[in-house]
Amino acid sequence: MATVLVVGSGIAGLVAAIHASERHEVVVVTKDVLGQSNTRYAQGGIAGVMFDDDRVEDHVRDTLLAGAGLCDEEAVRVLCTEGPERIRELIAFGVAFDRDGDGFAKGLEAAHSYPRVLHAGGDATGAAIETALVETLAARRVTVLEHTVLVDLVVTAGTVTGAHLRSSERGAFTVDADQVILATGGVGQLYPFTTNPAVATGDGAAAALRAGAVLADVEFVQFHPTALAAPGSFLVSEAVRGEGAVLRDVNGERFMRELHPDAELAPRDVVARGIARAMAAQGGAPVTLDATALGADRLAARFPGIDEHLRASGVDWSRTPVAVAPAAHYWMGGVATDLDGRTTLPGLLAVGEVARTGVHGANRLASNSLLEGAVFAARAVAAIDAAPGPIAGRPRLGGERVVLDPLAADDNLRLPTDAVEPFSRAALHAVMWRDAGLVRDARGLELARRTLDRWSTELDDVVTAPRSVAATEDRNLLLLARAVVAAALARTESRGAHARDDHPGVDPDQASPIAITLATPADAPQPTTHPSVNGTVLAPC
């Protein structure tokens, strides 16, 4: 029996914890309450081959096409082949997917050739899954540490052996573990407009990078095309377009028909950039999503959460098109793993959005994220069960490797001090949205690189020894912003979610992942004054 520390409580973390609890002592660390994660906000559904007239090969093909030549085909086949079993497991855990007569209701989303997306509660699939998994976990002998933030990983002789944590109740402390599973989600808070919750600050990926793990595909950030153009960037599910809603410019024209044969159901990166182009042509004004043809009854029945939100805001979307704009939604990159969730560091596994499994490539296919979390979380625990001890994975990368060098003050002198706004989360957001957002170029990326480097050198107390949750998050966001920008500079082409004005075409020679490492991971700070807490002695929930 091993002690398994799971950091994160979305679908990937909860599935991992449930599986691990069958044979191991398990500690789950979550930044908020147990049920708060990106999973809870997933509206569209979960994709899987659950119908007799659908085929695994078709799901594989759709995923590969969306991934724009950068998917790991073997990982995609694992996802699509094992996905149905994981969906049936979710049903056994209590997820009640919507039904249509004697079978499941079918949902169609962008870039799928078949309506294979299952949904629950209309547009509340993520919340239904999260609720069922939390209830399942509560019946297991598992220790849960809520309102607890990952600060750094403990690395002993090259092996991950635990984590340094911080909570308002305990302060700084350490949990020792035989295996650590990161399930900390993505990096939505790099941007001012995001569908992600406030906890999505890349904590797991940043800690893994500092500890010496390899990251990959970090330049690929998916922007959801249709978030409400209002504070909070409330997501309007892609499934709304799957049901027949269309996008219109200020003149009422359906502009997407000129940009892609699938129009509103083109891959997300195509639709998001199409919207951005239309907005630029109309002075920055948002476009509208027109769902009026669906009617009030159908909208309320199929999308009750969206319907309630809009009506509470005074909008009757059955009569009036709603203003929408792109927002950061999902990170295809992350900690590089093999097919069993193992990273390049022994004792460290990663699952869900924090992991780069190779499934998504340059652009994630709609509703594959929940499926990936469930499939690879189960595989990670199976790998732990089968192994005699911590072992390193061998992610299949094979492309360029970018090393983030120690910050050089002389280099930063090329950017005048008075040209750099003092660091704040808002300033970081502005830089990333302007220079590393939907469309990029060398000039903007280089300016972003210098700005981020200067902030990192000037905020030594934040970068090396954060003393609060906010400072820990800022440290992580700064590091990952540097990684995203460095990879985006290195990828001199446009592919999937990474678009460069100065390199608008796809370069076949760059059809491989870019790996990111830190030049001196051994120099990463390792706090030693934290009281140690072994997961086996904490009171289980």
Side-chain angles (χ1 to χ4, degrees):
M1 179 182 292
T3 298
V4 177
L5 174 62
V6 179
V7 187
S9 61
I11 186 172
L14 293 176
V15 168
I18 290 167
H19 278 247
S21 69
E22 296 175 2
R23 295 185 59 180
H24 307 288
E25 295 287 343
V26 177
V27 179
V28 176
V29 170
T30 183
K31 205 170 171 182
D32 203 303
V33 296
L34 191 59
Q36 178 68 288
S37 69
N38 272 353
T39 296
R40 177 166 292 280
Y41 297 90
Q43 295 175 350
I46 185 168
V49 179
M50 300 292 288
F51 303 97
D52 292 341
D53 56 343
D54 193 13
R55 301 189 312 153
V56 167
E57 280 300 317
D58 293 337
H59 192 186
V60 169
R61 185 191 67 242
D62 293 347
T63 301
L64 293 174
L65 286 173
L70 213 61
C71 296
D72 181 325
E73 185 170 346
E74 187 175 353
V76 172
R77 291 191 177 279
V78 165
L79 175 83
C80 299
T81 301
E82 298 182 12
E85 180 182 356
R86 297 279 73 82
I87 291 175
R88 286 189 284 271
E89 181 178 64
L90 292 174
I91 294 169
F93 288 153
V95 180
F97 291 107
D98 295 339
R99 303 186 72 84
D100 183 6
D102 294 332
F104 293 115
K106 297 180 178 181
L108 178 66
E109 295 192 13
H112 282 277
S113 60
Y114 181 94
R116 64 176 62 93
V117 179
L118 303 187
H119 45 81
D123 57 1
T125 308
I129 290 173
E130 189 82 2
T131 298
L133 292 178
V134 168
E135 291 177 355
T136 300
L137 188 71
R140 307 294 178 99
R141 188 173 176 81
V142 171
T143 298
V144 177
L145 303 178
E146 295 183 318
H147 302 290
T148 300
V149 178
L150 173 65
V151 176
D152 267 311
L153 295 167
V154 179
V155 182
T156 306
T159 296
V160 173
T161 58
H164 298 303
L165 308 170
R166 181 184 299 276
S167 74
S168 56
E169 179 181 346
R170 295 175 178 269
F173 65 104
T174 299
V175 170
D176 301 319
D178 299 296
Q179 305 272 359
V180 176
I181 301 177
L182 295 177
T184 49
V187 294
Q189 292 302 320
L190 280 175
Y191 297 93
F193 309 111
T194 178
T195 63
N196 292 182
V199 295
T201 53
D203 304 334
L209 186 57
R210 284 191 296 270
V214 175
L215 273 59
D217 287 344
V218 299
E219 67 271 32
F220 296 107
V221 178
Q222 185 178 82
F223 291 82
H224 198 287
T226 53
L228 290 183
S233 299
F234 183 85
L235 177 67
V236 181
S237 171
E238 190 155 11
V240 177
R241 284 175 280 130
E243 293 289 330
V246 298
L247 292 163
R248 301 187 186 278
D249 61 20
V250 290
N251 298 315
E253 299 296 325
R254 286 184 60 191
F255 57 91
M256 281 305 303
R257 289 191 293 194
E258 300 177 3
L259 302 179
H260 195 279
D262 292 333
E264 286 83 3
L265 293 181
R268 285 181 175 176
D269 62 301
V270 175
V271 180
R273 286 195 294 273
I275 291 174
R277 181 185 301 179
M279 290 174 63
Q282 55 197 38
V287 301
T288 57
L289 180 68
D290 185 355
T292 56
L294 301 182
D297 292 343
R298 186 177 176 190
L299 288 171
R302 178 64 179 85
F303 306 106
I306 300 172
D307 188 72
E308 180 182 1
H309 180 90
L310 287 170
R311 291 185 182 279
S313 302
V315 177
D316 181 355
W317 65 325
S318 71
R319 295 177 177 272
T320 305
V322 295
V324 294
H329 184 60
Y330 190 88
W331 193 33
M332 276 73 74
V335 185
T337 71
D338 63 14
L339 297 180
D340 294 318
R342 294 191 182 99
T343 74
T344 54
L345 287 178
L348 180 66
L349 301 94
V351 294
E353 191 173 352
V354 69
R356 184 272 176 194
T357 62
V359 159
H360 304 305
N363 189 37
R364 176 176 68 88
L365 181 66
S367 290
N368 267 356
S369 57
L370 293 175
L371 192 69
E372 182 201 30
V375 166
F376 287 92
R379 289 181 67 89
V381 175
I384 291 173
D385 292 345
I391 61 174
R394 294 185 177 181
R396 290 175 296 193
L397 299 174
E400 182 178 352
R401 177 167 297 210
V402 173
V403 179
L404 293 182
D405 293 323
L407 301 180
D410 289 343
D411 181 64
N412 285 306
L413 289 176
R414 292 184 297 172
L415 189 67
T417 301
D418 58 5
V420 179
E421 180 180 354
F423 174 81
S424 66
R425 189 76 66 89
L428 174 65
H429 285 167
V431 167
M432 293 300 289
W433 188 259
R434 181 189 66 228
D435 297 326
L438 270 164
V439 181
R440 305 153 175 180
D441 60 33
R443 181 179 180 278
L445 289 167
E446 182 62 24
L447 179 61
R449 183 190 70 80
R450 297 179 191 175
T451 301
L452 295 168
D453 284 0
R454 181 174 288 281
W455 281 339
S456 296
T457 58
E458 292 176 348
L459 299 174
D460 184 68
D461 57 331
V462 169
V463 173
T464 61
R467 299 184 180 278
S468 68
V469 170
T472 299
E473 292 177 338
D474 288 343
R475 174 200 196 198
N476 294 332
L477 289 170
L478 267 175
L479 178 59
L480 294 177
R482 289 183 62 215
V484 169
V485 168
L489 273 167
R491 186 169 292 281
T492 52
E493 63 163 354
S494 291
R495 183 185 295 271
H498 170 70
R500 286 189 54 163
D501 268 350
D502 53 346
H503 295 282
V506 174
D507 180 0
D509 292 336
Q510 296 188 51
S512 55
I514 294 175
I516 294 282
T517 58
L518 276 182
T520 54
D523 293 336
Q526 288 289 338
T528 58
T529 58
H530 298 172
S532 180
V533 181
N534 188 290
T536 60
V537 301
L538 294 175
C541 64

